[in-house]
Amino acid sequence: VKELEQAVLCSASEVKELEPLRKIRELHEATLAELEVDQETCDDVMALLDELTMLLVGLSLLKDLTPRSLDSLVSFGERLSTRIFSGYLRRQGVPSVQHDAFEMGIKTTDQFTNGDVLYEESVENVRANLRRAWAASDLKFECPDGKEEVRVVPVVTGFLGQGEKTGAITTLGRGGSDLTATFIGMALGIDEVVVWKDVDGVMTTDPRVVPDAKPIPLLTVEEATELAYFGATVLHPQSMQPLLEKQRGVGGSIPGGCDDLRVRVKNSYNTGAPGSVICAGDRNMEETVLTSIVLKSGVNMLDIVSTRMLGQYGFLAKVFSIFEDLQISVDVVATSEVSVSVTLDISKIWARDLDAEELLKLEKSFDGLATVKLRTNRTIISLIGNADRNNEALGRTFAVLTRLGVNPEMISKGAFKNNVALIVPEEVGDMCLRELHREFFP
């Protein structure tokens, strides 16, 4: 951000001499030379670096950095690296062609910095464009066993798309590269997409808090989505969306493909580890009580109690219309006829906590409708597992919490029925997680 501010504030004639821009150019020139890629790749990379310079010159003239401009700027890293990697593959004898996702047909909403993929439109675009590229390419070779022809390997930019109406480059937000991979897998009817991380798969809990956390061999997309949303940082909730879309039948049945798309999470530092497999179908849960326990800290909790008489309709509708007006998303909800408790999804909307002014504005929005009590520094403990054994899981959980002297301030069950969320003060969150993991994963 500091470097971008330099470009915006300096004069147009000074942009080319900015040290960050000079270092970027030198780094890419050195990389091209070291990898000895072909001249076409070198020309493409240098042309992109010139385009980056021109964009920064434009920003310095306008003295304005919009979300649309920011998306264009952050796209260059992915566009440059994929061109270099594709060129390096060819240098090693592997046929490869680079593709920009926004030109390949991944359409999104025009919400810059956090676009949503438009699945129906994008599936056919990607499928047709990749097949057209394969058919047109002369970069093909025979398998060693001579059984089939291997076509060109596409190298695609992650986390980028094209705005539905503007046609401009958009980004998909955090986790967008995993989303791109799983989406392309769904579009092409691929059996399995492998996502490389720095851990041995999806874990039973956060290994930074509980060092003896174990990898989960197999889990469903519903379990993975809940895990990702409520704190398992190895995955982002968006990256699971293509599997959910596949369940709904988006993309149809692909001839020769597998309708049961799987995502395998593996460790790039421990390639021999089997990793975790996330499947779009069901799995046998008879022996499972809990799949994982996850923690989401830094949460704000609101207790909202109606000031009107019992039986007044429309209370919940008015409460959630306030959140909509303020563009605040909520995590966990517990309701009755005259009250509702919610936790605020800070991580999705803000890269920081709500400041005092924003919290005051939120509280004042309920004047005349309800009294509001705000609790900051809360933690969500999510118990994700077998919905048919929730009673057993809760019984054992409350026994542990009672022993620790911790009383949950809010309890909620998710729509999938496989997630029970407990809200506790942040200062006891790690302690609860360690003891609960010891109880369920001895």
Side-chain angles (χ1 to χ4, degrees):
V1 175
K2 184 178 179 181
E3 288 79 4
L4 291 176
E5 288 177 351
Q6 281 184 274
V8 172
L9 296 174
C10 75
S11 67
S13 61
E14 295 173 328
V15 168
K16 292 183 180 180
E17 305 306 320
L18 289 174
E19 185 178 0
L21 183 59
R22 180 176 54 79
K23 287 183 175 180
I24 289 172
R25 184 176 287 272
E26 290 175 354
L27 173 64
H28 285 84
E29 288 175 345
T31 303
L32 291 170
E34 183 176 347
L35 298 180
E36 299 179 341
V37 298
D38 57 88
Q39 188 59 46
E40 184 181 353
T41 297
C42 293
D43 292 343
D44 284 348
V45 169
M46 300 312 294
L48 266 183
L49 289 170
D50 290 341
E51 185 181 327
L52 171 61
T53 302
M54 288 190 291
L55 177 57
L56 290 172
V57 168
L59 293 175
S60 73
L61 290 170
L62 293 172
K63 303 298 181 190
D64 187 24
L65 181 61
T66 64
R68 177 171 176 164
S69 300
L70 184 60
D71 273 0
S72 292
L73 279 172
V74 300
S75 75
F76 279 93
E78 197 83 359
R79 293 158 69 189
L80 289 163
S81 61
T82 51
R83 280 166 171 78
I84 293 173
F85 183 64
S86 181
Y88 181 69
L89 287 179
R90 291 194 297 274
R91 177 81 172 81
Q92 300 301 309
V94 178
S96 176
V97 171
Q98 187 272 352
H99 297 274
D100 290 321
F102 50 87
E103 292 183 348
M104 196 175 66
I106 295 183
K107 297 290 185 181
T108 73
T109 59
D110 289 296
Q111 184 179 356
F112 295 104
T113 74
N114 195 27
D116 291 325
V117 173
L118 303 173
Y119 283 84
E120 296 283 359
E121 299 93 323
S122 301
V123 164
E124 289 302 326
N125 289 342
V126 168
R127 194 181 299 167
N129 286 333
L130 276 180
R131 286 177 175 169
R132 191 180 303 116
W134 285 334
S137 174
D138 56 359
L139 296 171
K140 303 174 184 178
F141 64 92
E142 296 292 324
C143 278
D145 58 13
K147 289 184 178 179
E148 63 175 311
E149 185 180 55
V150 177
R151 295 180 182 273
V152 61
V153 175
V155 178
V156 183
T157 55
F159 81 89
L160 303 178
Q162 183 180 54
E164 177 187 21
K165 296 177 180 177
T166 62
I169 295 173
T170 57
T171 59
L172 308 180
R174 189 173 73 83
S177 290
D178 292 347
L179 170 58
T180 303
T182 52
F183 172 78
I184 293 174
M186 179 191 78
L188 298 181
I190 292 170
D191 295 348
E192 183 170 292
V193 175
V194 180
V195 178
W196 294 93
K197 299 293 181 179
D198 58 358
V199 291
D200 286 343
V202 183
M203 311 296 282
T204 51
T205 196
D206 188 343
R208 294 170 298 183
V209 180
V210 183
D212 60 348
K214 306 170 178 64
I216 306 167
L218 178 67
L219 60 163
T220 65
V221 61
E222 290 86 2
E223 290 174 300
T225 300
E226 295 287 325
L227 280 167
Y229 193 82
F230 285 100
T233 55
V234 69
L235 293 170
H236 191 274
Q238 281 197 98
S239 65
M240 293 296 100
Q241 191 62 35
L243 278 78
L244 294 171
E245 296 291 337
K246 194 63 182 173
Q247 286 183 335
R248 292 175 48 233
V250 173
S253 179
I254 296 92
C258 175
D259 289 338
D260 258 340
L261 173 64
R262 301 183 302 275
V263 174
R264 186 181 296 272
V265 182
K266 296 201 67 174
N267 190 346
S268 56
Y269 299 101
N270 183 18
T271 56
S276 300
V277 174
I278 302 165
C279 61
D282 296 326
R283 71 179 181 97
N284 189 332
M285 300 279 287
E286 289 182 4
E287 301 300 319
T288 302
V289 179
L290 288 187
T291 302
S292 184
I293 309 170
V294 290
L295 216 62
K296 189 173 187 179
S297 300
V299 171
N300 288 327
M301 175 178 166
L302 281 179
D303 292 325
I304 306 164
V305 181
S306 173
T307 55
R308 302 182 182 187
M309 294 182 62
L310 188 69
Q312 293 286 319
Y313 61 85
F315 171 64
L316 288 179
K318 292 173 183 175
V319 166
F320 285 101
S321 70
I322 290 172
F323 290 126
E324 182 181 13
D325 292 342
L326 296 176
Q327 295 186 333
I328 296 176
S329 181
V330 300
D331 264 336
V332 179
V333 182
T335 67
S336 71
E337 189 175 1
V338 294
S339 67
V340 57
S341 294
V342 301
T343 61
L344 306 183
D345 182 6
I346 299 164
S347 63
K348 188 174 180 182
I349 305 299
W350 296 279
R352 54 174 175 76
D353 203 343
L354 290 164
D355 61 31
E357 183 179 344
E358 289 167 325
L359 289 172
L360 181 62
K361 181 179 180 181
L362 176 60
E363 290 185 80
K364 284 188 171 296
S365 297
F366 291 96
D367 285 352
L369 174 66
T371 59
V372 176
K373 182 176 182 180
L374 174 68
R375 306 171 194 256
T376 59
N377 300 319
R378 278 354 192 217
T379 287
I380 304 173
I381 300 176
S382 294
L383 311 172
I384 296 157
N386 186 350
D388 293 333
R389 298 181 69 174
N390 273 344
N391 286 347
E392 178 184 349
L394 283 173
R396 292 166 64 180
T397 296
F398 282 111
V400 169
L401 296 182
T402 299
R403 187 169 69 247
L404 296 175
V406 175
N407 186 33
E409 297 173 329
M410 176 179 165
I411 303 170
S412 179
K413 180 182 283 192
F416 285 136
K417 311 302 181 188
N418 62 351
N419 176 23
V420 177
L422 311 171
I423 316 301
V424 300
E426 195 169 68
E427 61 267 20
V428 301
D430 286 359
M431 174 184 68
C432 292
L433 182 63
R434 285 190 288 267
E435 292 303 312
L436 287 169
H437 191 271
R438 187 175 291 117
E439 168 69 23
F440 289 99
F441 305 98

Short mmCIF file of all heavy atoms in Angstrom, two decimals, residues 273-295:
data_model
loop_
_atom_site.label_atom_id
_atom_site.label_comp_id
_atom_site.label_asym_id
_atom_site.label_seq_id
_atom_site.Cartn_x
_atom_site.Cartn_y
_atom_site.Cartn_z
N ALA A 273 3.11 -37.18 2.30
CA ALA A 273 1.91 -37.27 3.15
C ALA A 273 0.68 -37.39 2.25
O ALA A 273 0.57 -36.69 1.25
CB ALA A 273 1.80 -36.05 4.06
N PRO A 274 -0.28 -38.27 2.62
CA PRO A 274 -1.46 -38.48 1.75
C PRO A 274 -2.38 -37.29 1.67
O PRO A 274 -3.14 -37.14 0.71
CB PRO A 274 -2.16 -39.68 2.39
CG PRO A 274 -1.69 -39.68 3.82
CD PRO A 274 -0.29 -39.15 3.79
N GLY A 275 -2.36 -36.42 2.67
CA GLY A 275 -3.22 -35.24 2.65
C GLY A 275 -4.66 -35.57 3.04
O GLY A 275 -4.97 -36.65 3.56
N SER A 276 -5.55 -34.64 2.77
CA SER A 276 -6.98 -34.79 3.08
C SER A 276 -7.77 -34.71 1.78
O SER A 276 -7.49 -33.87 0.93
CB SER A 276 -7.45 -33.68 4.03
OG SER A 276 -6.74 -33.70 5.24
N VAL A 277 -8.78 -35.57 1.66
CA VAL A 277 -9.64 -35.57 0.48
C VAL A 277 -11.01 -35.00 0.87
O VAL A 277 -11.62 -35.45 1.85
CB VAL A 277 -9.81 -36.99 -0.10
CG1 VAL A 277 -10.83 -36.98 -1.24
CG2 VAL A 277 -8.46 -37.51 -0.59
N ILE A 278 -11.47 -34.02 0.10
CA ILE A 278 -12.79 -33.42 0.30
C ILE A 278 -13.66 -33.85 -0.86
O ILE A 278 -13.32 -33.62 -2.02
CB ILE A 278 -12.69 -31.88 0.35
CG1 ILE A 278 -11.73 -31.45 1.46
CG2 ILE A 278 -14.06 -31.26 0.55
CD1 ILE A 278 -11.29 -30.01 1.35
N CYS A 279 -14.77 -34.51 -0.56
CA CYS A 279 -15.62 -35.07 -1.61
C CYS A 279 -16.96 -34.35 -1.66
O CYS A 279 -17.44 -33.83 -0.65
CB CYS A 279 -15.82 -36.56 -1.39
SG CYS A 279 -16.64 -36.98 0.16
N ALA A 280 -17.55 -34.35 -2.85
CA ALA A 280 -18.86 -33.71 -3.03
C ALA A 280 -20.00 -34.61 -2.56
O ALA A 280 -21.12 -34.14 -2.38
CB ALA A 280 -19.06 -33.33 -4.50
N GLY A 281 -19.72 -35.90 -2.36
CA GLY A 281 -20.76 -36.83 -1.93
C GLY A 281 -20.76 -37.04 -0.43
O GLY A 281 -20.22 -36.24 0.34
N ASP A 282 -21.40 -38.13 0.01
CA ASP A 282 -21.48 -38.46 1.43
C ASP A 282 -20.32 -39.36 1.82
O ASP A 282 -19.62 -39.92 0.98
CB ASP A 282 -22.80 -39.17 1.74
CG ASP A 282 -24.00 -38.28 1.48
OD1 ASP A 282 -23.87 -37.07 1.70
OD2 ASP A 282 -25.05 -38.80 1.05
N ARG A 283 -20.11 -39.52 3.12
CA ARG A 283 -19.14 -40.48 3.62
C ARG A 283 -19.72 -41.19 4.84
O ARG A 283 -20.67 -40.69 5.48
CB ARG A 283 -17.82 -39.80 3.97
CG ARG A 283 -17.85 -38.91 5.22
CD ARG A 283 -16.48 -38.31 5.46
NE ARG A 283 -16.41 -37.46 6.66
CZ ARG A 283 -15.97 -37.87 7.85
NH1 ARG A 283 -15.58 -39.12 8.02
NH2 ARG A 283 -15.94 -37.04 8.87
N ASN A 284 -19.17 -42.33 5.18
CA ASN A 284 -19.63 -43.10 6.33
C ASN A 284 -19.22 -42.39 7.62
O ASN A 284 -18.03 -42.23 7.90
CB ASN A 284 -19.03 -44.52 6.29
CG ASN A 284 -19.66 -45.43 7.34
OD1 ASN A 284 -20.12 -44.97 8.38
ND2 ASN A 284 -19.69 -46.72 7.05
N MET A 285 -20.21 -41.97 8.42
CA MET A 285 -19.93 -41.20 9.64
C MET A 285 -20.24 -41.99 10.91
O MET A 285 -20.23 -41.41 12.00
CB MET A 285 -20.79 -39.92 9.62
CG MET A 285 -20.54 -38.99 8.46
SD MET A 285 -19.10 -37.95 8.71
CE MET A 285 -19.70 -36.80 9.95
N GLU A 286 -20.50 -43.30 10.78
CA GLU A 286 -20.95 -44.07 11.94
C GLU A 286 -19.97 -44.02 13.10
O GLU A 286 -20.38 -43.96 14.27
CB GLU A 286 -21.18 -45.53 11.53
CG GLU A 286 -22.40 -45.73 10.65
CD GLU A 286 -22.62 -47.20 10.30
OE1 GLU A 286 -21.86 -48.04 10.82
OE2 GLU A 286 -23.55 -47.49 9.53
N GLU A 287 -18.68 -44.05 12.82
CA GLU A 287 -17.67 -44.06 13.89
C GLU A 287 -17.21 -42.66 14.28
O GLU A 287 -16.35 -42.52 15.15
CB GLU A 287 -16.45 -44.89 13.43
CG GLU A 287 -16.77 -46.33 13.07
CD GLU A 287 -17.36 -47.09 14.24
OE1 GLU A 287 -16.87 -46.89 15.38
OE2 GLU A 287 -18.31 -47.85 14.03
N THR A 288 -17.77 -41.64 13.65
CA THR A 288 -17.31 -40.25 13.87
C THR A 288 -18.24 -39.51 14.81
O THR A 288 -19.46 -39.49 14.62
CB THR A 288 -17.24 -39.49 12.53
OG1 THR A 288 -16.37 -40.17 11.65
CG2 THR A 288 -16.74 -38.06 12.75
N VAL A 289 -17.68 -38.90 15.84
CA VAL A 289 -18.42 -37.96 16.68
C VAL A 289 -18.13 -36.54 16.20
O VAL A 289 -19.03 -35.81 15.82
CB VAL A 289 -18.06 -38.12 18.17
CG1 VAL A 289 -18.84 -37.10 19.02
CG2 VAL A 289 -18.34 -39.52 18.66
N LEU A 290 -16.85 -36.16 16.21
CA LEU A 290 -16.44 -34.87 15.68
C LEU A 290 -15.39 -35.07 14.60
O LEU A 290 -14.55 -35.97 14.70
CB LEU A 290 -15.86 -33.98 16.78
CG LEU A 290 -16.82 -33.38 17.81
CD1 LEU A 290 -16.08 -32.41 18.72
CD2 LEU A 290 -18.00 -32.69 17.15
N THR A 291 -15.45 -34.24 13.58
CA THR A 291 -14.43 -34.23 12.53
C THR A 291 -13.31 -33.26 12.89
O THR A 291 -12.13 -33.56 12.70
CB THR A 291 -15.03 -33.80 11.19
OG1 THR A 291 -16.09 -34.70 10.84
CG2 THR A 291 -13.99 -33.80 10.09
N SER A 292 -13.68 -32.10 13.41
CA SER A 292 -12.69 -31.08 13.75
C SER A 292 -13.29 -30.07 14.71
O SER A 292 -14.52 -29.93 14.80
CB SER A 292 -12.20 -30.38 12.48
OG SER A 292 -11.18 -29.45 12.77
N ILE A 293 -12.41 -29.38 15.42
CA ILE A 293 -12.80 -28.27 16.31
C ILE A 293 -12.01 -27.05 15.86
O ILE A 293 -10.78 -27.09 15.80
CB ILE A 293 -12.49 -28.58 17.78
CG1 ILE A 293 -13.06 -29.94 18.19
CG2 ILE A 293 -13.04 -27.48 18.68
CD1 ILE A 293 -12.60 -30.42 19.55
N VAL A 294 -12.71 -25.98 15.53
CA VAL A 294 -12.01 -24.79 15.04
C VAL A 294 -12.35 -23.57 15.87
O VAL A 294 -13.42 -23.48 16.48
CB VAL A 294 -12.31 -24.51 13.55
CG1 VAL A 294 -11.68 -25.56 12.67
CG2 VAL A 294 -13.80 -24.42 13.29
N LEU A 295 -11.40 -22.64 15.88
CA LEU A 295 -11.51 -21.43 16.67
C LEU A 295 -11.52 -20.23 15.75
O LEU A 295 -10.73 -20.16 14.80
CB LEU A 295 -10.29 -21.36 17.60
CG LEU A 295 -10.46 -20.79 19.01
CD1 LEU A 295 -11.43 -21.65 19.80
CD2 LEU A 295 -9.09 -20.77 19.70
#
